[in-house]
PDB file of all heavy atoms in Angstrom:
ATOM      1  N   VAL A1209     -10.263 -77.156 -78.183  1.00 99.00           N
ATOM      2  CA  VAL A1209      -9.953 -78.166 -79.193  1.00 99.00           C
ATOM      3  C   VAL A1209     -10.655 -77.779 -80.491  1.00 99.00           C
ATOM      4  O   VAL A1209     -11.855 -77.476 -80.493  1.00 99.00           O
ATOM      5  CB  VAL A1209     -10.407 -79.568 -78.742  1.00 99.00           C
ATOM      6  CG1 VAL A1209     -10.000 -80.616 -79.769  1.00 99.00           C
ATOM      7  CG2 VAL A1209      -9.839 -79.909 -77.378  1.00 99.00           C
ATOM      8  N   ALA A1210      -9.899 -77.782 -81.578  1.00 99.00           N
ATOM      9  CA  ALA A1210     -10.453 -77.370 -82.870  1.00 99.00           C
ATOM     10  C   ALA A1210      -9.868 -78.218 -83.981  1.00 99.00           C
ATOM     11  O   ALA A1210      -8.983 -79.059 -83.766  1.00 99.00           O
ATOM     12  CB  ALA A1210     -10.172 -75.888 -83.103  1.00 99.00           C
ATOM     13  N   GLU A1211     -10.347 -77.965 -85.190  1.00 98.00           N
ATOM     14  CA  GLU A1211      -9.890 -78.728 -86.351  1.00 98.00           C
ATOM     15  C   GLU A1211      -8.434 -78.435 -86.698  1.00 98.00           C
ATOM     16  O   GLU A1211      -7.726 -79.305 -87.200  1.00 98.00           O
ATOM     17  CB  GLU A1211     -10.782 -78.434 -87.562  1.00 98.00           C
ATOM     18  CG  GLU A1211     -12.201 -78.953 -87.434  1.00 98.00           C
ATOM     19  CD  GLU A1211     -12.284 -80.470 -87.515  1.00 98.00           C
ATOM     20  OE1 GLU A1211     -11.269 -81.115 -87.860  1.00 98.00           O
ATOM     21  OE2 GLU A1211     -13.365 -81.016 -87.234  1.00 98.00           O
ATOM     22  N   THR A1212      -7.992 -77.203 -86.456  1.00 98.00           N
ATOM     23  CA  THR A1212      -6.610 -76.842 -86.749  1.00 98.00           C
ATOM     24  C   THR A1212      -5.986 -76.173 -85.530  1.00 98.00           C
ATOM     25  O   THR A1212      -6.693 -75.662 -84.648  1.00 98.00           O
ATOM     26  CB  THR A1212      -6.512 -75.874 -87.942  1.00 98.00           C
ATOM     27  OG1 THR A1212      -7.035 -74.592 -87.552  1.00 98.00           O
ATOM     28  CG2 THR A1212      -7.262 -76.410 -89.150  1.00 98.00           C
ATOM     29  N   PHE A1213      -4.662 -76.172 -85.528  1.00 98.00           N
ATOM     30  CA  PHE A1213      -3.952 -75.505 -84.438  1.00 98.00           C
ATOM     31  C   PHE A1213      -4.288 -74.017 -84.403  1.00 98.00           C
ATOM     32  O   PHE A1213      -4.514 -73.440 -83.337  1.00 98.00           O
ATOM     33  CB  PHE A1213      -2.450 -75.710 -84.612  1.00 98.00           C
ATOM     34  CG  PHE A1213      -1.608 -74.875 -83.669  1.00 98.00           C
ATOM     35  CD1 PHE A1213      -1.413 -75.283 -82.357  1.00 98.00           C
ATOM     36  CD2 PHE A1213      -1.034 -73.693 -84.090  1.00 98.00           C
ATOM     37  CE1 PHE A1213      -0.651 -74.514 -81.487  1.00 98.00           C
ATOM     38  CE2 PHE A1213      -0.273 -72.921 -83.231  1.00 98.00           C
ATOM     39  CZ  PHE A1213      -0.085 -73.331 -81.921  1.00 98.00           C
ATOM     40  N   GLU A1214      -4.322 -73.397 -85.572  1.00 98.00           N
ATOM     41  CA  GLU A1214      -4.580 -71.955 -85.623  1.00 98.00           C
ATOM     42  C   GLU A1214      -5.970 -71.624 -85.098  1.00 98.00           C
ATOM     43  O   GLU A1214      -6.156 -70.618 -84.393  1.00 98.00           O
ATOM     44  CB  GLU A1214      -4.417 -71.458 -87.061  1.00 98.00           C
ATOM     45  CG  GLU A1214      -2.990 -71.501 -87.585  1.00 98.00           C
ATOM     46  CD  GLU A1214      -2.530 -72.887 -88.006  1.00 98.00           C
ATOM     47  OE1 GLU A1214      -3.385 -73.802 -88.056  1.00 98.00           O
ATOM     48  OE2 GLU A1214      -1.321 -73.049 -88.279  1.00 98.00           O
ATOM     49  N   GLN A1215      -6.956 -72.454 -85.413  1.00 98.00           N
ATOM     50  CA  GLN A1215      -8.307 -72.213 -84.902  1.00 98.00           C
ATOM     51  C   GLN A1215      -8.358 -72.367 -83.387  1.00 98.00           C
ATOM     52  O   GLN A1215      -9.013 -71.573 -82.694  1.00 98.00           O
ATOM     53  CB  GLN A1215      -9.286 -73.185 -85.571  1.00 98.00           C
ATOM     54  CG  GLN A1215      -9.543 -72.893 -87.040  1.00 98.00           C
ATOM     55  CD  GLN A1215     -10.353 -73.986 -87.706  1.00 98.00           C
ATOM     56  OE1 GLN A1215     -10.300 -75.157 -87.298  1.00 98.00           O
ATOM     57  NE2 GLN A1215     -11.109 -73.632 -88.746  1.00 98.00           N
ATOM     58  N   ALA A1216      -7.663 -73.384 -82.874  1.00 99.00           N
ATOM     59  CA  ALA A1216      -7.655 -73.585 -81.418  1.00 99.00           C
ATOM     60  C   ALA A1216      -6.970 -72.423 -80.715  1.00 99.00           C
ATOM     61  O   ALA A1216      -7.453 -71.937 -79.680  1.00 99.00           O
ATOM     62  CB  ALA A1216      -6.958 -74.905 -81.090  1.00 99.00           C
ATOM     63  N   ARG A1217      -5.865 -71.971 -81.259  1.00 98.00           N
ATOM     64  CA  ARG A1217      -5.145 -70.849 -80.650  1.00 98.00           C
ATOM     65  C   ARG A1217      -5.980 -69.570 -80.681  1.00 98.00           C
ATOM     66  O   ARG A1217      -6.046 -68.835 -79.677  1.00 98.00           O
ATOM     67  CB  ARG A1217      -3.826 -70.627 -81.367  1.00 98.00           C
ATOM     68  CG  ARG A1217      -2.982 -69.489 -80.797  1.00 98.00           C
ATOM     69  CD  ARG A1217      -1.652 -69.357 -81.521  1.00 98.00           C
ATOM     70  NE  ARG A1217      -1.851 -69.115 -82.946  1.00 98.00           N
ATOM     71  CZ  ARG A1217      -0.869 -69.060 -83.843  1.00 98.00           C
ATOM     72  NH1 ARG A1217       0.374 -69.265 -83.469  1.00 98.00           N
ATOM     73  NH2 ARG A1217      -1.130 -68.841 -85.112  1.00 98.00           N
ATOM     74  N   ALA A1218      -6.624 -69.301 -81.810  1.00 98.00           N
ATOM     75  CA  ALA A1218      -7.435 -68.086 -81.907  1.00 98.00           C
ATOM     76  C   ALA A1218      -8.615 -68.137 -80.947  1.00 98.00           C
ATOM     77  O   ALA A1218      -8.937 -67.144 -80.270  1.00 98.00           O
ATOM     78  CB  ALA A1218      -7.919 -67.905 -83.344  1.00 98.00           C
ATOM     79  N   ALA A1219      -9.271 -69.292 -80.860  1.00 98.00           N
ATOM     80  CA  ALA A1219     -10.425 -69.411 -79.969  1.00 98.00           C
ATOM     81  C   ALA A1219     -10.019 -69.323 -78.505  1.00 98.00           C
ATOM     82  O   ALA A1219     -10.787 -68.824 -77.665  1.00 98.00           O
ATOM     83  CB  ALA A1219     -11.147 -70.723 -80.240  1.00 98.00           C
ATOM     84  N   ALA A1220      -8.814 -69.797 -78.187  1.00 98.00           N
ATOM     85  CA  ALA A1220      -8.350 -69.717 -76.798  1.00 98.00           C
ATOM     86  C   ALA A1220      -8.279 -68.273 -76.318  1.00 98.00           C
ATOM     87  O   ALA A1220      -8.485 -67.993 -75.129  1.00 98.00           O
ATOM     88  CB  ALA A1220      -6.994 -70.392 -76.662  1.00 98.00           C
ATOM     89  N   GLN A1221      -8.004 -67.352 -77.258  1.00 98.00           N
ATOM     90  CA  GLN A1221      -7.946 -65.939 -76.881  1.00 98.00           C
ATOM     91  C   GLN A1221      -9.324 -65.377 -76.545  1.00 98.00           C
ATOM     92  O   GLN A1221      -9.431 -64.295 -75.959  1.00 98.00           O
ATOM     93  CB  GLN A1221      -7.316 -65.127 -78.019  1.00 98.00           C
ATOM     94  CG  GLN A1221      -5.970 -65.645 -78.502  1.00 98.00           C
ATOM     95  CD  GLN A1221      -4.960 -65.786 -77.385  1.00 98.00           C
ATOM     96  OE1 GLN A1221      -4.786 -64.863 -76.593  1.00 98.00           O
ATOM     97  NE2 GLN A1221      -4.302 -66.935 -77.316  1.00 98.00           N
ATOM     98  N   LEU A1222     -10.376 -66.094 -76.929  1.00 98.00           N
ATOM     99  CA  LEU A1222     -11.739 -65.625 -76.688  1.00 98.00           C
ATOM    100  C   LEU A1222     -12.284 -66.077 -75.337  1.00 98.00           C
ATOM    101  O   LEU A1222     -13.364 -65.630 -74.930  1.00 98.00           O
ATOM    102  CB  LEU A1222     -12.663 -66.126 -77.803  1.00 98.00           C
ATOM    103  CG  LEU A1222     -12.273 -65.700 -79.235  1.00 98.00           C
ATOM    104  CD1 LEU A1222     -13.223 -66.332 -80.246  1.00 98.00           C
ATOM    105  CD2 LEU A1222     -12.255 -64.186 -79.364  1.00 98.00           C
ATOM    106  N   VAL A1223     -11.581 -66.984 -74.663  1.00 98.00           N
ATOM    107  CA  VAL A1223     -12.004 -67.417 -73.331  1.00 98.00           C
ATOM    108  C   VAL A1223     -11.745 -66.285 -72.344  1.00 98.00           C
ATOM    109  O   VAL A1223     -10.625 -65.761 -72.267  1.00 98.00           O
ATOM    110  CB  VAL A1223     -11.264 -68.699 -72.908  1.00 98.00           C
ATOM    111  CG1 VAL A1223     -11.620 -69.081 -71.475  1.00 98.00           C
ATOM    112  CG2 VAL A1223     -11.578 -69.843 -73.864  1.00 98.00           C
ATOM    113  N   LYS A1224     -12.761 -65.894 -71.601  1.00 98.00           N
ATOM    114  CA  LYS A1224     -12.671 -64.737 -70.715  1.00 98.00           C
ATOM    115  C   LYS A1224     -12.840 -65.152 -69.249  1.00 98.00           C
ATOM    116  O   LYS A1224     -13.957 -65.399 -68.792  1.00 98.00           O
ATOM    117  CB  LYS A1224     -13.736 -63.692 -71.069  1.00 98.00           C
ATOM    118  CG  LYS A1224     -13.660 -63.187 -72.514  1.00 98.00           C
ATOM    119  CD  LYS A1224     -12.305 -62.533 -72.802  1.00 98.00           C
ATOM    120  CE  LYS A1224     -12.219 -62.039 -74.240  1.00 98.00           C
ATOM    121  NZ  LYS A1224     -10.854 -61.530 -74.563  1.00 98.00           N
ATOM    122  N   PRO A1225     -11.755 -65.249 -68.514  1.00 98.00           N
ATOM    123  CA  PRO A1225     -11.850 -65.591 -67.094  1.00 98.00           C
ATOM    124  C   PRO A1225     -12.103 -64.358 -66.227  1.00 98.00           C
ATOM    125  O   PRO A1225     -11.717 -63.241 -66.583  1.00 98.00           O
ATOM    126  CB  PRO A1225     -10.478 -66.192 -66.786  1.00 98.00           C
ATOM    127  CG  PRO A1225      -9.559 -65.511 -67.751  1.00 98.00           C
ATOM    128  CD  PRO A1225     -10.361 -65.205 -68.978  1.00 98.00           C
ATOM    129  N   THR A1226     -12.742 -64.593 -65.101  1.00 98.00           N
ATOM    130  CA  THR A1226     -12.900 -63.568 -64.071  1.00 98.00           C
ATOM    131  C   THR A1226     -12.298 -64.121 -62.781  1.00 98.00           C
ATOM    132  O   THR A1226     -12.650 -65.237 -62.361  1.00 98.00           O
ATOM    133  CB  THR A1226     -14.377 -63.217 -63.845  1.00 98.00           C
ATOM    134  OG1 THR A1226     -14.931 -62.742 -65.074  1.00 98.00           O
ATOM    135  CG2 THR A1226     -14.511 -62.138 -62.767  1.00 98.00           C
ATOM    136  N   TYR A1227     -11.398 -63.350 -62.188  1.00 98.00           N
ATOM    137  CA  TYR A1227     -10.678 -63.833 -61.006  1.00 98.00           C
ATOM    138  C   TYR A1227     -11.049 -63.038 -59.764  1.00 98.00           C
ATOM    139  O   TYR A1227     -11.428 -61.865 -59.837  1.00 98.00           O
ATOM    140  CB  TYR A1227      -9.164 -63.696 -61.208  1.00 98.00           C
ATOM    141  CG  TYR A1227      -8.612 -64.393 -62.421  1.00 98.00           C
ATOM    142  CD1 TYR A1227      -8.197 -63.657 -63.537  1.00 98.00           C
ATOM    143  CD2 TYR A1227      -8.475 -65.777 -62.457  1.00 98.00           C
ATOM    144  CE1 TYR A1227      -7.667 -64.285 -64.655  1.00 98.00           C
ATOM    145  CE2 TYR A1227      -7.948 -66.415 -63.571  1.00 98.00           C
ATOM    146  CZ  TYR A1227      -7.544 -65.656 -64.669  1.00 98.00           C
ATOM    147  OH  TYR A1227      -7.022 -66.274 -65.772  1.00 98.00           O
ATOM    148  N   GLU A1228     -10.917 -63.689 -58.646  1.00 98.00           N
ATOM    149  CA  GLU A1228     -10.879 -63.016 -57.355  1.00 98.00           C
ATOM    150  C   GLU A1228      -9.468 -63.232 -56.819  1.00 98.00           C
ATOM    151  O   GLU A1228      -9.158 -64.269 -56.247  1.00 98.00           O
ATOM    152  CB  GLU A1228     -11.928 -63.589 -56.406  1.00 98.00           C
ATOM    153  CG  GLU A1228     -13.363 -63.293 -56.830  1.00 98.00           C
ATOM    154  CD  GLU A1228     -14.389 -63.913 -55.898  1.00 98.00           C
ATOM    155  OE1 GLU A1228     -13.972 -64.594 -54.917  1.00 98.00           O
ATOM    156  OE2 GLU A1228     -15.591 -63.737 -56.144  1.00 98.00           O
ATOM    157  N   ALA A1229      -8.620 -62.269 -57.074  1.00 98.00           N
ATOM    158  CA  ALA A1229      -7.200 -62.421 -56.752  1.00 98.00           C
ATOM    159  C   ALA A1229      -6.940 -62.217 -55.272  1.00 98.00           C
ATOM    160  O   ALA A1229      -7.625 -61.427 -54.602  1.00 98.00           O
ATOM    161  CB  ALA A1229      -6.378 -61.437 -57.572  1.00 98.00           C
ATOM    162  N   GLU A1230      -5.944 -62.922 -54.769  1.00 98.00           N
ATOM    163  CA  GLU A1230      -5.489 -62.782 -53.390  1.00 98.00           C
ATOM    164  C   GLU A1230      -4.013 -62.423 -53.386  1.00 98.00           C
ATOM    165  O   GLU A1230      -3.297 -62.672 -54.357  1.00 98.00           O
ATOM    166  CB  GLU A1230      -5.705 -64.087 -52.617  1.00 98.00           C
ATOM    167  CG  GLU A1230      -7.144 -64.555 -52.550  1.00 98.00           C
ATOM    168  CD  GLU A1230      -7.268 -65.909 -51.882  1.00 98.00           C
ATOM    169  OE1 GLU A1230      -6.301 -66.315 -51.174  1.00 98.00           O
ATOM    170  OE2 GLU A1230      -8.294 -66.580 -52.077  1.00 98.00           O
ATOM    171  N   GLN A1231      -3.561 -61.858 -52.286  1.00 97.00           N
ATOM    172  CA  GLN A1231      -2.145 -61.548 -52.156  1.00 97.00           C
ATOM    173  C   GLN A1231      -1.356 -62.836 -51.981  1.00 97.00           C
ATOM    174  O   GLN A1231      -1.662 -63.654 -51.109  1.00 97.00           O
ATOM    175  CB  GLN A1231      -1.908 -60.633 -50.946  1.00 97.00           C
ATOM    176  CG  GLN A1231      -0.457 -60.225 -50.750  1.00 97.00           C
ATOM    177  CD  GLN A1231       0.085 -59.425 -51.928  1.00 97.00           C
ATOM    178  OE1 GLN A1231      -0.580 -58.511 -52.413  1.00 97.00           O
ATOM    179  NE2 GLN A1231       1.268 -59.775 -52.392  1.00 97.00           N
ATOM    180  N   GLY A1232      -0.352 -63.013 -52.814  1.00 98.00           N
ATOM    181  CA  GLY A1232       0.442 -64.227 -52.744  1.00 98.00           C
ATOM    182  C   GLY A1232       1.808 -63.996 -52.123  1.00 98.00           C
ATOM    183  O   GLY A1232       2.208 -62.869 -51.824  1.00 98.00           O
ATOM    184  N   SER A1233       2.529 -65.102 -51.951  1.00 98.00           N
ATOM    185  CA  SER A1233       3.885 -65.071 -51.404  1.00 98.00           C
ATOM    186  C   SER A1233       4.827 -65.591 -52.475  1.00 98.00           C
ATOM    187  O   SER A1233       4.681 -66.722 -52.946  1.00 98.00           O
ATOM    188  CB  SER A1233       3.967 -65.946 -50.150  1.00 98.00           C
ATOM    189  OG  SER A1233       5.286 -66.003 -49.652  1.00 98.00           O
ATOM    190  N   TYR A1234       5.785 -64.760 -52.877  1.00 98.00           N
ATOM    191  CA  TYR A1234       6.633 -65.089 -54.016  1.00 98.00           C
ATOM    192  C   TYR A1234       8.128 -64.954 -53.733  1.00 98.00           C
ATOM    193  O   TYR A1234       8.932 -65.113 -54.645  1.00 98.00           O
ATOM    194  CB  TYR A1234       6.273 -64.196 -55.208  1.00 98.00           C
ATOM    195  CG  TYR A1234       4.788 -64.071 -55.462  1.00 98.00           C
ATOM    196  CD1 TYR A1234       4.154 -62.837 -55.394  1.00 98.00           C
ATOM    197  CD2 TYR A1234       4.020 -65.192 -55.747  1.00 98.00           C
ATOM    198  CE1 TYR A1234       2.786 -62.721 -55.622  1.00 98.00           C
ATOM    199  CE2 TYR A1234       2.652 -65.090 -55.966  1.00 98.00           C
ATOM    200  CZ  TYR A1234       2.037 -63.854 -55.902  1.00 98.00           C
ATOM    201  OH  TYR A1234       0.685 -63.743 -56.113  1.00 98.00           O
ATOM    202  N   ASP A1235       8.509 -64.679 -52.497  1.00 98.00           N
ATOM    203  CA  ASP A1235       9.908 -64.400 -52.181  1.00 98.00           C
ATOM    204  C   ASP A1235      10.417 -65.398 -51.151  1.00 98.00           C
ATOM    205  O   ASP A1235       9.881 -65.479 -50.034  1.00 98.00           O
ATOM    206  CB  ASP A1235      10.044 -62.973 -51.648  1.00 98.00           C
ATOM    207  CG  ASP A1235      11.474 -62.633 -51.308  1.00 98.00           C
ATOM    208  OD1 ASP A1235      12.334 -62.669 -52.218  1.00 98.00           O
ATOM    209  OD2 ASP A1235      11.750 -62.354 -50.123  1.00 98.00           O
ATOM    210  N   LEU A1236      11.446 -66.159 -51.526  1.00 98.00           N
ATOM    211  CA  LEU A1236      11.964 -67.201 -50.639  1.00 98.00           C
ATOM    212  C   LEU A1236      12.538 -66.612 -49.363  1.00 98.00           C
ATOM    213  O   LEU A1236      12.301 -67.146 -48.273  1.00 98.00           O
ATOM    214  CB  LEU A1236      13.019 -68.029 -51.371  1.00 98.00           C
ATOM    215  CG  LEU A1236      13.720 -69.121 -50.558  1.00 98.00           C
ATOM    216  CD1 LEU A1236      12.724 -70.104 -49.975  1.00 98.00           C
ATOM    217  CD2 LEU A1236      14.746 -69.851 -51.435  1.00 98.00           C
ATOM    218  N   ALA A1237      13.287 -65.527 -49.457  1.00 98.00           N
ATOM    219  CA  ALA A1237      13.906 -64.946 -48.259  1.00 98.00           C
ATOM    220  C   ALA A1237      12.844 -64.561 -47.234  1.00 98.00           C
ATOM    221  O   ALA A1237      13.012 -64.792 -46.031  1.00 98.00           O
ATOM    222  CB  ALA A1237      14.756 -63.744 -48.644  1.00 98.00           C
ATOM    223  N   SER A1238      11.747 -63.989 -47.703  1.00 98.00           N
ATOM    224  CA  SER A1238      10.683 -63.577 -46.781  1.00 98.00           C
ATOM    225  C   SER A1238       9.977 -64.775 -46.164  1.00 98.00           C
ATOM    226  O   SER A1238       9.447 -64.685 -45.051  1.00 98.00           O
ATOM    227  CB  SER A1238       9.666 -62.706 -47.524  1.00 98.00           C
ATOM    228  OG  SER A1238      10.280 -61.547 -48.048  1.00 98.00           O
ATOM    229  N   ALA A1239       9.968 -65.894 -46.890  1.00 98.00           N
ATOM    230  CA  ALA A1239       9.252 -67.076 -46.413  1.00 98.00           C
ATOM    231  C   ALA A1239      10.107 -67.992 -45.547  1.00 98.00           C
ATOM    232  O   ALA A1239       9.586 -68.970 -44.992  1.00 98.00           O
ATOM    233  CB  ALA A1239       8.723 -67.864 -47.608  1.00 98.00           C
ATOM    234  N   MET A1240      11.374 -67.692 -45.392  1.00 98.00           N
ATOM    235  CA  MET A1240      12.258 -68.580 -44.639  1.00 98.00           C
ATOM    236  C   MET A1240      11.793 -68.852 -43.210  1.00 98.00           C
ATOM    237  O   MET A1240      11.871 -69.997 -42.743  1.00 98.00           O
ATOM    238  CB  MET A1240      13.681 -68.023 -44.636  1.00 98.00           C
ATOM    239  CG  MET A1240      14.402 -68.183 -45.961  1.00 98.00           C
ATOM    240  SD  MET A1240      16.000 -67.313 -46.017  1.00 98.00           S
ATOM    241  CE  MET A1240      16.925 -68.185 -44.749  1.00 98.00           C
ATOM    242  N   PRO A1241      11.287 -67.851 -42.472  1.00 98.00           N
ATOM    243  CA  PRO A1241      10.878 -68.143 -41.092  1.00 98.00           C
ATOM    244  C   PRO A1241       9.768 -69.188 -40.983  1.00 98.00           C
ATOM    245  O   PRO A1241       9.636 -69.850 -39.950  1.00 98.00           O
ATOM    246  CB  PRO A1241      10.401 -66.776 -40.577  1.00 98.00           C
ATOM    247  CG  PRO A1241      11.132 -65.775 -41.422  1.00 98.00           C
ATOM    248  CD  PRO A1241      11.212 -66.411 -42.781  1.00 98.00           C
ATOM    249  N   LYS A1242       8.965 -69.351 -42.029  1.00 98.00           N
ATOM    250  CA  LYS A1242       7.862 -70.306 -41.991  1.00 98.00           C
ATOM    251  C   LYS A1242       8.200 -71.616 -42.699  1.00 98.00           C
ATOM    252  O   LYS A1242       7.335 -72.493 -42.829  1.00 98.00           O
ATOM    253  CB  LYS A1242       6.614 -69.687 -42.626  1.00 98.00           C
ATOM    254  CG  LYS A1242       6.053 -68.491 -41.854  1.00 98.00           C
ATOM    255  CD  LYS A1242       4.780 -67.969 -42.502  1.00 98.00           C
ATOM    256  CE  LYS A1242       4.217 -66.793 -41.720  1.00 98.00           C
ATOM    257  NZ  LYS A1242       2.962 -66.260 -42.341  1.00 98.00           N
ATOM    258  N   ALA A1243       9.429 -71.752 -43.152  1.00 98.00           N
ATOM    259  CA  ALA A1243       9.824 -72.979 -43.843  1.00 98.00           C
ATOM    260  C   ALA A1243       9.785 -74.167 -42.884  1.00 98.00           C
ATOM    261  O   ALA A1243      10.035 -74.033 -41.683  1.00 98.00           O
ATOM    262  CB  ALA A1243      11.219 -72.818 -44.434  1.00 98.00           C
ATOM    263  N   VAL A1244       9.472 -75.339 -43.417  1.00 98.00           N
ATOM    264  CA  VAL A1244       9.301 -76.536 -42.594  1.00 98.00           C
ATOM    265  C   VAL A1244      10.326 -77.599 -42.981  1.00 98.00           C
ATOM    266  O   VAL A1244      10.953 -77.532 -44.045  1.00 98.00           O
ATOM    267  CB  VAL A1244       7.874 -77.111 -42.745  1.00 98.00           C
ATOM    268  CG1 VAL A1244       6.844 -76.075 -42.321  1.00 98.00           C
ATOM    269  CG2 VAL A1244       7.618 -77.575 -44.184  1.00 98.00           C
ATOM    270  N   VAL A1245      10.470 -78.578 -42.112  1.00 98.00           N
ATOM    271  CA  VAL A1245      11.307 -79.736 -42.428  1.00 98.00           C
ATOM    272  C   VAL A1245      10.550 -80.596 -43.434  1.00 98.00           C
ATOM    273  O   VAL A1245       9.442 -81.054 -43.150  1.00 98.00           O
ATOM    274  CB  VAL A1245      11.629 -80.562 -41.176  1.00 98.00           C
ATOM    275  CG1 VAL A1245      12.500 -81.762 -41.533  1.00 98.00           C
ATOM    276  CG2 VAL A1245      12.301 -79.702 -40.123  1.00 98.00           C
ATOM    277  N   PRO A1246      11.082 -80.821 -44.624  1.00 97.00           N
ATOM    278  CA  PRO A1246      10.350 -81.614 -45.622  1.00 97.00           C
ATOM    279  C   PRO A1246      10.329 -83.091 -45.267  1.00 97.00           C
ATOM    280  O   PRO A1246      11.101 -83.575 -44.428  1.00 97.00           O
ATOM    281  CB  PRO A1246      11.137 -81.358 -46.910  1.00 97.00           C
ATOM    282  CG  PRO A1246      12.516 -81.026 -46.448  1.00 97.00           C
ATOM    283  CD  PRO A1246      12.363 -80.315 -45.133  1.00 97.00           C
ATOM    284  N   LYS A1247       9.448 -83.806 -45.929  1.00 95.00           N
ATOM    285  CA  LYS A1247       9.339 -85.242 -45.713  1.00 95.00           C
ATOM    286  C   LYS A1247      10.542 -85.958 -46.324  1.00 95.00           C
ATOM    287  O   LYS A1247      11.093 -85.525 -47.330  1.00 95.00           O
ATOM    288  CB  LYS A1247       8.055 -85.777 -46.353  1.00 95.00           C
ATOM    289  CG  LYS A1247       6.768 -85.215 -45.770  1.00 95.00           C
ATOM    290  CD  LYS A1247       5.556 -85.765 -46.522  1.00 95.00           C
ATOM    291  CE  LYS A1247       4.264 -85.178 -45.973  1.00 95.00           C
ATOM    292  NZ  LYS A1247       3.086 -85.659 -46.744  1.00 95.00           N
ATOM    293  N   ALA A1248      10.919 -87.058 -45.702  1.00 93.00           N
ATOM    294  CA  ALA A1248      11.969 -87.895 -46.281  1.00 93.00           C
ATOM    295  C   ALA A1248      11.487 -88.435 -47.618  1.00 93.00           C
ATOM    296  O   ALA A1248      10.298 -88.713 -47.802  1.00 93.00           O
ATOM    297  CB  ALA A1248      12.314 -89.035 -45.338  1.00 93.00           C
ATOM    298  N   SER A1249      12.398 -88.577 -48.562  1.00 82.00           N
ATOM    299  CA  SER A1249      12.044 -89.034 -49.899  1.00 82.00           C
ATOM    300  C   SER A1249      12.995 -90.143 -50.321  1.00 82.00           C
ATOM    301  O   SER A1249      14.215 -89.971 -50.290  1.00 82.00           O
ATOM    302  CB  SER A1249      12.129 -87.868 -50.893  1.00 82.00           C
ATOM    303  OG  SER A1249      11.885 -88.299 -52.202  1.00 82.00           O
ATOM    304  N   ASN A1250      12.420 -91.296 -50.712  1.00 79.00           N
ATOM    305  CA  ASN A1250      13.233 -92.442 -51.160  1.00 79.00           C
ATOM    306  C   ASN A1250      14.300 -92.819 -50.139  1.00 79.00           C
ATOM    307  O   ASN A1250      15.438 -93.148 -50.494  1.00 79.00           O
ATOM    308  CB  ASN A1250      13.878 -92.137 -52.512  1.00 79.00           C
ATOM    309  CG  ASN A1250      12.854 -91.910 -53.605  1.00 79.00           C
ATOM    310  OD1 ASN A1250      11.836 -92.590 -53.651  1.00 79.00           O
ATOM    311  ND2 ASN A1250      13.107 -90.936 -54.467  1.00 79.00           N
ATOM    312  N   GLY A1251      13.934 -92.768 -48.865  1.00 80.00           N
ATOM    313  CA  GLY A1251      14.880 -93.100 -47.811  1.00 80.00           C
ATOM    314  C   GLY A1251      15.890 -92.025 -47.514  1.00 80.00           C
ATOM    315  O   GLY A1251      16.776 -92.211 -46.666  1.00 80.00           O
ATOM    316  N   ASN A1252      15.785 -90.898 -48.172  1.00 88.00           N
ATOM    317  CA  ASN A1252      16.731 -89.809 -47.998  1.00 88.00           C
ATOM    318  C   ASN A1252      16.197 -88.835 -46.953  1.00 88.00           C
ATOM    319  O   ASN A1252      15.161 -88.179 -47.161  1.00 88.00           O
ATOM    320  CB  ASN A1252      16.942 -89.096 -49.339  1.00 88.00           C
ATOM    321  CG  ASN A1252      17.886 -87.925 -49.224  1.00 88.00           C
ATOM    322  OD1 ASN A1252      18.937 -88.038 -48.601  1.00 88.00           O
ATOM    323  ND2 ASN A1252      17.518 -86.806 -49.814  1.00 88.00           N
TER     324      ASN A1252
END
């Protein structure tokens, strides 16, 4: 949060995160065998 949009945007680029990344799942076809029956919603 800054006085101007440009200052906030520029300062946001200075934030430096460090991650511990994990292998994710991003493909629906590969995930189909583990898909579950979803909860009913609004009586549906």
Side-chain angles (χ1 to χ4, degrees):
V1209 183
E1211 292 289 350
T1212 70
F1213 171 80
E1214 292 78 9
Q1215 289 172 332
R1217 181 178 59 185
Q1221 307 305 312
L1222 302 177
V1223 175
K1224 302 300 180 186
T1226 301
Y1227 303 107
E1228 292 178 359
E1230 301 175 18
Q1231 181 62 46
S1233 176
Y1234 314 119
D1235 180 61
L1236 177 57
S1238 300
M1240 286 172 64
K1242 295 183 179 180
V1244 301
V1245 180
K1247 297 177 182 177
S1249 176
N1250 298 321
N1252 178 45

